[in-house]
Amino acid sequence: MACNHCEHPICVGVCPTNAYTIHADGIILLDQTRCTGCGYCAWACPYGAPQLDLTNGTMTNCNFCIDELEKGLLP
């Protein structure tokens, strides 16, 4: 399931490394360079959106294709 980009995202609050931020337009962004893969966000998320990437040992999360949005394209 993709991230629902909640209005009050619990994943942001439980991350011990502050790897999550809320973009100005409400998109929840995960900085994988700060993520340790602890999984707290996955445990806290009622939708199970954050997933562990076994290849690099960090969590992944839908970023609503923000790179496309910034180019004026659809996600």
Side-chain angles (χ1 to χ4, degrees):
M1 168 169 240
C3 181
N4 288 307
H5 303 281
C6 302
E7 186 174 349
H8 302 287
I10 193 158
C11 59
V12 174
V14 299
C15 180
T17 63
N18 297 314
Y20 282 94
T21 57
I22 303 172
H23 194 267
D25 56 11
I27 297 172
I28 309 305
L29 299 174
L30 172 62
D31 180 352
Q32 289 186 321
T33 63
R34 298 182 77 169
C35 179
T36 61
C38 70
Y40 290 169
C41 57
W43 296 328
C45 177
Y47 307 105
Q51 298 291 311
L52 179 63
D53 180 342
L54 296 175
T55 303
N56 63 16
T58 61
M59 302 306 288
T60 61
N61 196 39
C62 166
N63 67 1
F64 208 67
C65 298
I66 194 160
D67 53 334
E68 298 293 316
L69 290 174
E70 289 175 342
K71 294 176 190 173
L73 303 171
L74 295 175

